[in-house]
Every structure is written in C-alpha cells, then in structure tokens.
C-alpha cells in the first residue's frame, strides 16, 4: 500500500469541499481525522476518527451519498469507510471499553461480512439493504441505535428511553402551568435562512419537530451580537408550543436564572426553584456566557442540566462565543454544553442581508425601492440588529418629515451609520501593513524569496490589494516584483483555500484586515 491515510483523506476532502458549502465543510469535515488505511482481501478500508457519535449520525444522514461516491472515486470499488467514534468519558457505561472509541463501518460502504463485528445490531446492515438510501432529511437516525439493543450497547444516548426516575420528581405531583416567556414574534417563518445560519436553522427545525428525541441535545448556538441567536432558539420553542410537541417550555436568560436562583437562596426556597426547573420539557437558556464566574449558579444549573438530560428533556443554549472561549465556567459544565450539537451563526452575506431587509419592510407593510434596500445592505454589514435599526430609522424620519424613502433621503438619514468602504490605500501601503504584521521587511514581498512565511505574506498582501484597491490583477502583479496576473489569481485562490481549511488563518486575516482598516482612516 503506497498511500498514507492522510493522503487518501486529503484527496477525499478535495472532492468533498467542491460539493458542499464552506460552512458545512468546516463544521462536518474539518474536524475528522484519518487514522488508518487497512487492506484485506475484499476491501481497502479508510478509518476516520469522528469527534462524537453525533457527527457520525449526521454524516450518515446527510452526506452518505457524497461519502460513498468520494470513497469509491479515491479508493476504487473496494473502498470502504469506517468511523472511529470518540466517546466522551461521561457517556461511557461500565461496559464500555477503556479506549473511549467505538468503531462503526459506514453503512453503504461496509461489506456484509462485517456485520458480526458490529457493536450494534444495526438493521441497516442487512446485506439486501445495500441500495442507496433515500436522502430526505428525516432525522430518524439518532434513535435507530437506541432501538436496537444488544449485549454490547453502550448507552451513549440515554435520552428518551426508559429514563431512570428522577429523584426530584415527586410521584403524583401535578405539573404547574409554566409561562414559557417566549416572544411570539420570533418564529421560523420570520427567520431568513442564509449560508450564515443554515446549519443552526436546520438543526433547530429538527429539534422543534422532536424535542428531546434527536441527539442534538443540548443544542448550543453561538455567534456575535445581533445575529439571530435569540430569535432562532425562541423559534424552536414557539414551534414546539404551537404544534403541541410537549407540555412545558421555558425560555430564560442566564441572568434571570441567576437572579431567581439568588432570590431562592435568600428566601430559603432553593428546593422549589430546583423542582420547578426539573419539570420543564424544553428548557431554553439564552446567553449562557453570563454564567461565567457564578459558581453557585453554575452548580445548580449543572444539576438541573443533568436531571433534564437524563430524562430525555431538551436543552437549548446560546452564547456569544464558542464554548471553549467562555471564561469562568467549570470544565464539567462546559463539556456538557458540547455533548449534543454546537452550531454557529455568522454575519449574513449580502444576499441574506437583502432578503432580511425586504422581509422586514414587507412585515411593516412598506414598499421600499430596491436601490434603497441595496444601499443599506451594502453598507451595514456587521449584524442584523443594525440592519433593522437602519430601516426603523428611515421609517421614523420619513413619517416625521413626510418624505418618501428614496436613495438620496436614505443616504442623508443614514450617513453616520454608513462607513466609507473605499479605503484609498495604495498597494505599497497594504504591503507595508501586511509585512509589519509578519515582522518582515516590505521589500521581501516584491522579491523572489520562496520562504514559506514570505510567500504567505505576499499572498495576503495581494489578496487585500485586490479587495481594497481598484487596480487590475495585472497592475497588482507588477507591484509585486513584476509577477504576472496568474500569480495573483493563484494567490487569491490559495487564500480562499486556507480560509476554508484553517480557523487560525481566519483569525490572522481578520487581524490584518483590522489593521488595514484602521490605518486607512
Ligand atoms: P442575538 O440574540 O444573536 O443577539 P437576535 O436574535 O436578538 O440576535 O436578533 C437581532 C434582531 O435581528 C432580531 O430582531 C431578530 O428578529 C433579527 N434577526 C436576526 N436574524 C434574523 C434572520 N435570519 N432573519 C430575520 N430576522 C433576523
Ligand atoms: Mg440574544
């Protein structure tokens, strides 16, 4: 065998990347690791490590056909894929092996002879069942395993099935009516889908259909302010309530949870507090980063979380940053936050911003000219709350001045919100800023050096020259030591590829962009 698992996997990733969105690629494929390539008489098997059982289920549910085609293309018809699932320690039962891994062959690629070695009696592995599956996203996968018990089943997902009686639920206690605290305006219908939120939204819909029954439990949405986290997590609650999926739903901000908890201590009513939360079927907690450094509250929440999770109740959380960056939260709680699915929401792209503005205008019963919508969408880019703010400001001013909202009017009213986007920088200035960042002399990017660091600085400087100046590829090439335009194109492509593959590079690029924007004013 002459290829390494890494080479094989890289080839697979190259194919996969071309077939799915960048967000999906980053979320589902970047975290996978090739481990081994095994040749036997019947098959050539690539083993990849997946971070959790949930990944495995999602991959099988959504990318089965793509994976099958890819593996066949790269490894030939003998190609097989096997998942090596890393199991969280907390989820392991007594019976689990010590390695914390569980191997499952990918369904469509596994040979029937592998059945006996399977840890699960998986009905899909019936040899007659080799035809490609219908790929409609039914979200049935997660429970399949729970329904197929065998001697070695590791109860990874105890949710839902024969839950142990919670010690806190007093038999016969009557459920009190819970006011959900949901804002009825936050619905799925009013939530515009874009690349920026697609994953979070599709998982949100699945949860709303079957709260507590998917393996997206907990579901944690994170992202910057004004990107729709609160809207989305409440939409799940509103849908579940309207469609009577469950009885008690509660939306609470982490601040309110904290305040109520502190009050319950003061009034000696902690056990009531505790009991109240344990009877919720769908608990939505907003802005969990505020639990940081509140140890007692965290401890209480930790126990409530466990009680709910163990009895198959759905938990939905959101935070303004990725869980690993939330400070002052105990490790055991942080680790639970990521047990299910963690999905981010990103700033919306231009098309999504336009769609949101059109929709908001429609909701207000207004017709706003397309050039005005585009003007706002082009100039207000950071978040959706600001987009809404701009629209409301236009409405208010036009009502007050009894003027129509046209482009000139909008430019005048929004002038302080709209940043000058053309930066008036020269290519040399961009080179200087980039080289300063990499701590190298500027003339190196114009020279011939192929040292890796210089090559990267050169490509980054070309990339920003294209973005921030009006020069043609040819002129940009000339400013980089007389290179031709195809070198510049190659640089732009390389940067796009790094951006997709390497999260740290995204940060680097954002930091440089920030410096360029600062120096241009
Ligand atoms: P966050 O909780 O992330 O700070 P919010 O959920 O409060 O953001 O969203 C800010 C505003 O933007 C809300 O009025 C919300 O309705 C609106 N909004 C956010 N995302 C979308 C979207 N995808 N479609 C429509 N409106 C959105
Ligand atoms: Mg919010």
């Amino acid at each position: 065998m002459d290829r390494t698992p890494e080479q094989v996997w890289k080839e697979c990733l190259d194919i996969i990347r071309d077939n799915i969105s960048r967000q999906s690629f980053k979320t589902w494929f970047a975290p996978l690791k090739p481990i081994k390539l095994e040749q036997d008489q019947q098959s050539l098997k690539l083993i990849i490590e997946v971070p959790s059982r949930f990944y495995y289920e999602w991959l099988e549910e959504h990318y089965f056909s793509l994976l099958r085609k890819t593996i066949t293309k790269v490894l030939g018809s003998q190609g097989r894929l096997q998942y090596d699932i890393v199991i969280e320690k907390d989820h392991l039962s007594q019976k689990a092996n010590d390695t914390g891994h569980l191997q499952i062959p990918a369904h469509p690629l596994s040979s029937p002879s592998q059945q006996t070695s399977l840890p699960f009696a998986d009905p899909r592995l019936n040899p007659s069942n080799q035809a490609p599956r219908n790929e409609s996203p039914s979200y049935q996968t997660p429970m399949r395993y729970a329904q197929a018990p065998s001697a070695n089943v590791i109860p990874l997902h105890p949710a839902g099935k024969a839950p142990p009686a919670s010690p806190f639920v007093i038999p016969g206690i009557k459920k009190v009516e819970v006011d959900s605290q949901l804002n009825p305006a936050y619905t799925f219908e009013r939530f515009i889908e874009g690349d920026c939120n697609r994953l979070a939204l599709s998982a949100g819909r699945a949860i709303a259909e079957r709260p507590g029954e998917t393996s997206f439990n907990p579901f944690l949405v994170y992202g910057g302010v004004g990107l729709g986290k609160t809207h989305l997590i409440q939409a799940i609650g509103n849908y579940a309530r309207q469609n009577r999926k469950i009885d008690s739903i509660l939306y609470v901000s982490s601040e309110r949870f904290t305040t109520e908890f502190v009050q319950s201590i003061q009034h000696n009513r902690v056990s009531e507090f505790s009991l109240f939360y344990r009877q919720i079927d769908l608990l939505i907690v907003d802005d969990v980063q505020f639990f940081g450094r509140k140890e007692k509250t965290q401890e209480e929440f930790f126990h409530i979380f466990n009680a709910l999770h163990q009895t198959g109740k759905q938990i939905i959380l959101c935070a303004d940053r990725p869980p690993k960056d939330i400070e002052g939260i105990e490790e055991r709680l942080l680790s639970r936050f990521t047990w299910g699915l963690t999905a981010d929401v990103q700033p919306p792209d231009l098309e999504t911003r336009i769609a949101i503005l059109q929709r908001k205008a429609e909701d207000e019963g207004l017709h706003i000219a397309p050039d005005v919508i585009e003007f706002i969408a082009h100039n207000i880019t950071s978040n959706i709350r600001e987009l809404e703010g701009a629209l409301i400001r236009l409405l208010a001013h036009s009502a007050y001045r009894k003027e129509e909202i046209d482009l000139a009017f909008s430019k005048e009213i929004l002038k302080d919100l709209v940043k000058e986007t053309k930066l008036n920088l020269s290519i040399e200035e961009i080179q200087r800023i980039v080289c300063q960042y990499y701590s190298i002399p500027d003339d190196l990017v114009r020279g011939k050096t192929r040292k890796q660091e210089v090559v990267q600085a050169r490509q980054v400087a070309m990339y920003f020259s294209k973005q921030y100046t009006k020069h043609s590829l040819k002129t940009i090439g000339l400013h980089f030591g007389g290179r031709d335009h195809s070198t510049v194109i190659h640089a732009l492509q390389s940067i796009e590829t790094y951006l997709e593959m390497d999260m740290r590079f995204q940060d680097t690029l954002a930091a440089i962009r920030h410096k360029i924007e600062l120096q241009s004013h």
Side-chain angles (χ1 to χ4, degrees):
M1 209 181 307
D2 43 7
R3 285 188 290 178
T4 65
E6 286 75 23
Q7 285 164 338
V8 169
W9 185 233
K10 187 180 170 301
E11 280 180 49
C12 294
L13 288 182
D14 287 341
I15 297 174
I16 292 166
R17 191 183 305 112
D18 288 341
N19 283 285
I20 61 176
S21 76
R22 185 168 141 188
Q23 158 95 350
S24 307
F25 183 83
K26 208 170 80 187
T27 310
W28 298 110
F29 292 92
L32 309 182
K33 284 193 220 122
I35 305 187
K36 218 169 158 189
L37 197 57
E38 266 178 18
Q39 171 87 69
D40 61 27
Q41 280 168 344
Q42 294 136 17
S43 66
L44 178 55
K45 188 162 66 186
L46 175 68
I47 302 172
I48 50 168
E49 184 183 284
V50 296
S52 70
R53 179 175 190 74
F54 167 74
Y55 265 83
Y56 152 70
E57 287 167 351
W58 185 281
L59 289 171
E60 282 277 276
E61 187 75 27
H62 294 87
Y63 298 110
F64 141 81
S65 148
L66 175 62
L67 277 166
R68 187 179 56 139
K69 281 190 213 134
T70 306
I71 288 286
T72 311
K73 213 169 193 169
V74 175
L75 291 179
S77 58
Q78 280 199 317
R80 301 281 182 273
L81 183 67
Q82 178 158 322
Y83 303 102
D84 187 38
I85 303 175
V86 180
I87 302 170
E88 278 240 23
K89 266 213 213 76
D90 282 333
H91 277 185
L92 288 171
S93 78
Q94 305 285 335
K95 288 177 201 148
N97 59 28
D98 341 334
T99 63
H101 289 255
L102 176 68
Q103 297 205 331
I104 302 184
H107 158 235
L109 307 164
S110 51
S111 59
S113 63
Q114 282 170 325
Q115 268 188 91
T116 46
S117 64
L118 265 184
F120 294 95
D122 185 340
R124 295 178 309 167
L125 286 168
N126 179 336
S128 63
N129 188 16
Q130 297 287 310
R133 283 188 301 143
N134 162 12
E135 269 188 282
S136 67
S138 66
Y139 297 101
Q140 293 296 316
T141 327
M143 296 314 289
R144 273 202 288 263
Y145 299 98
Q147 286 159 359
S150 85
N152 325 341
V153 169
I154 300 165
L156 280 166
H157 188 63
K161 300 290 143 195
S166 160
F168 302 99
V169 177
I170 301 162
I173 195 168
K174 213 170 150 247
K175 277 208 167 185
V176 286
E177 281 276 315
V178 176
D179 175 355
S180 71
Q181 309 289 329
L182 290 165
N183 176 346
Y186 288 146
T187 58
F188 284 131
E189 288 74 38
R190 291 188 176 196
F191 193 83
I192 305 286
E193 179 170 358
D195 278 349
C196 54
N197 57 33
R198 184 159 291 124
L199 169 69
L201 178 60
S202 72
R205 286 215 169 97
I207 293 165
E209 282 295 340
R210 298 167 57 219
E213 288 179 23
T214 70
S215 52
F216 315 150
N217 198 12
F219 176 43
L220 182 125
V221 183
Y222 73 88
V225 287
L227 297 181
K229 302 181 298 294
T230 299
H231 187 144
L232 176 63
I233 59 178
Q234 292 213 26
I236 303 172
N238 275 317
Y239 183 95
R241 192 173 58 159
Q242 277 154 17
N243 295 280
R244 301 187 187 285
K245 299 284 175 187
I246 33 186
D247 292 335
S248 46
I249 302 176
L250 180 69
Y251 165 83
V252 65
S253 68
S254 61
E255 286 129 311
R256 178 157 176 184
F257 181 93
T258 306
T259 314
E260 284 180 358
F261 176 60
V262 171
Q263 283 170 355
S264 80
I265 297 177
Q266 286 162 352
H267 298 112
N268 233 343
R269 299 175 75 163
V270 176
S271 56
E272 256 172 72
F273 175 88
S274 209
L275 205 59
F276 170 75
Y277 275 92
R278 280 171 170 78
Q279 46 132 15
I280 304 294
D281 297 320
L282 168 55
L283 177 64
I284 306 172
V285 188
D286 206 339
D287 285 326
V288 291
Q289 72 274 4
F290 290 121
F291 280 146
R293 292 185 229 297
K294 304 199 175 90
E295 281 110 34
K296 276 250 174 275
T297 312
Q298 274 179 44
E299 190 178 339
E300 182 59 36
F301 185 67
F302 176 78
H303 292 302
I304 290 171
F305 182 105
N306 288 342
L308 293 180
H309 195 267
Q310 274 166 20
T311 47
K313 305 299 171 59
Q314 179 73 47
I315 301 159
I316 298 174
L317 310 165
C318 87
D320 68 353
R321 64 202 85 169
K324 66 174 174 30
D325 297 341
I326 305 178
E327 283 168 18
I329 295 213
E330 256 193 274
E331 201 43 51
R332 60 178 188 167
L333 189 55
L334 264 192
S335 120
R336 274 162 178 74
F337 284 176
T338 54
W339 267 3
L341 173 65
T342 303
D344 63 345
V345 285
Q346 295 283 337
D349 55 24
L350 180 68
E351 284 73 24
T352 313
R353 296 200 296 277
I354 291 177
I356 289 173
L357 284 166
Q358 280 167 340
R359 182 56 190 271
K360 302 268 166 196
E362 242 172 61
D363 287 349
E364 300 291 336
L366 286 164
H367 176 75
I368 298 201
D371 59 347
V372 172
I373 299 260
E374 263 183 49
F375 167 74
I376 305 173
H378 265 291
N379 288 291
I380 297 179
T381 53
S382 56
N383 80 49
I384 298 164
R385 192 171 289 135
E386 281 183 14
L387 280 182
E388 282 184 352
L391 204 58
I392 291 168
R393 194 145 142 193
L394 288 180
L395 295 181
H397 281 265
S398 92
Y400 173 68
R401 289 179 17 183
K402 301 203 169 42
E403 280 182 48
E404 236 184 84
I405 304 177
D406 61 11
L407 191 57
F409 176 85
S410 310
K411 281 188 176 166
E412 185 205 329
I413 301 295
L414 301 178
K415 62 177 178 291
D416 57 322
L417 281 184
V418 169
K419 271 194 281 163
E420 193 57 58
T421 43
K422 277 172 219 73
L423 295 180
N424 269 339
L425 277 177
S426 69
I427 295 176
E428 280 69 25
E429 281 166 312
I430 291 176
Q431 290 174 340
R432 187 177 46 74
I433 297 167
V434 173
C435 290
Q436 238 170 26
Y437 184 90
Y438 283 93
S439 308
I440 55 172
D442 318 0
D443 52 351
L444 286 190
V445 294
R446 296 184 286 270
K448 297 264 172 279
T449 320
R450 302 283 317 150
K451 266 168 79 182
Q452 201 191 353
E453 185 192 32
V454 177
V455 172
Q456 190 176 85
R458 189 181 290 135
Q459 292 183 332
V460 168
M462 286 179 174
Y463 177 83
F464 282 123
S465 299
K466 183 68 201 138
Q467 266 193 13
Y468 285 133
T469 72
K470 287 217 158 75
H471 295 297
S472 66
L473 295 171
K474 189 165 168 222
T475 313
I476 293 173
L478 288 176
H479 280 77
F480 284 82
R483 290 177 158 81
D484 73 18
H485 82 287
S486 62
T487 312
V488 184
I489 292 178
H490 175 71
L492 305 183
Q493 283 168 343
S494 306
I495 298 291
E496 292 292 339
T497 311
Y498 299 147
L499 276 177
E500 278 177 18
M501 296 296 293
D502 183 349
M503 306 257 226
R504 271 173 317 178
F505 185 70
Q506 294 173 6
D507 296 338
T508 304
L509 213 68
I512 299 173
R513 185 190 299 284
H514 185 64
K515 282 188 190 303
I516 293 176
E517 289 184 352
L518 275 182
Q519 297 204 19
S520 67
H521 290 302

